[in-house]
Amino acid sequence: MLGLDLEDLDRRNRRAKVTRKGSAVDIIVWQTRTTRLLPKLLTGRGKGPVFLTERRARLTLAASDLDPVGGRARLSYRRAAEIFNEPTKPLTHPDITAPADLAAATGWTLHDLRHSALTHAAENGANTGTLLAYPGHASVTRSTSKVASRLR
């Protein structure tokens, strides 16, 4: 998802092509709430990366990784992980109420997010083909062991 460019978005049909693990190409679709949020995220931009850092790039980057208007860089996986981890700490540790203890705790990872779709599909009785397709695994054993560990 972090590799998406505005040119990849088919906003009219609410879908986009994404390249995932193993160079497989998928079509993702989104619902009404995402459609409503996209204009705020894209702020009138017409090309370049969909997900950007908050400030201009300090290093020289490939033109494809820069917003041509504002000079901001494509959001890195590391930074996206940091951004995602912070607000999920209270969800991960509902028993921790002290702010200092919560600050030291860890939240969910992007890997957790990726596999949550697999877990929800398994809980709703998805077939093996669907369970393999969600995480991009070729092995039934690897996919089902991930689901089994999450369902325990």
Side-chain angles (χ1 to χ4, degrees):
M1 294 296 294
L2 295 174
L4 271 176
D5 290 322
L6 274 75
E7 299 86 350
D8 299 327
L9 303 180
D10 178 354
R11 293 173 67 184
R12 180 180 194 145
N13 294 307
R14 297 181 181 180
R15 63 184 180 187
K17 282 185 183 179
V18 294
T19 304
R20 65 174 165 96
K21 191 164 106 175
S23 299
V25 176
D26 285 332
I27 302 292
I28 60 165
V29 296
W30 57 85
Q31 296 178 342
T32 303
R33 281 189 265 175
T34 301
T35 301
R36 290 181 187 146
L37 289 172
L38 272 175
K40 292 177 183 178
L41 176 68
L42 305 179
T43 59
R45 296 182 286 126
K47 58 187 287 189
V50 171
F51 300 101
L52 298 171
T53 57
E54 295 174 0
R55 58 182 174 227
R56 292 181 58 84
R58 290 180 280 158
L59 303 172
T60 303
L61 298 171
S64 62
D65 288 330
L66 290 173
D67 167 27
V69 176
R72 295 185 298 156
R74 182 182 304 278
L75 187 65
S76 69
Y77 187 91
R78 182 192 58 77
R79 183 64 183 129
E82 290 170 356
I83 292 168
F84 183 71
N85 182 273
E86 197 60 36
T88 61
K89 288 179 181 184
L91 301 170
T92 309
H93 306 283
D95 53 318
I96 298 176
T97 55
D101 293 341
L102 197 56
T106 58
W108 289 335
T109 66
L110 292 177
H111 193 253
D112 293 332
L113 177 64
R114 184 171 166 259
H115 282 278
S116 68
L118 178 65
T119 302
H120 291 294
E123 290 171 340
N124 291 315
N127 64 34
T128 303
T130 300
L131 295 178
L132 287 171
Y134 268 93
H137 294 161
S139 161
V140 174
T141 304
R142 184 162 179 207
S143 287
T144 54
S145 67
K146 290 273 186 188
V147 171
S149 68
R150 288 177 135 288
L151 294 176
R152 286 186 197 131

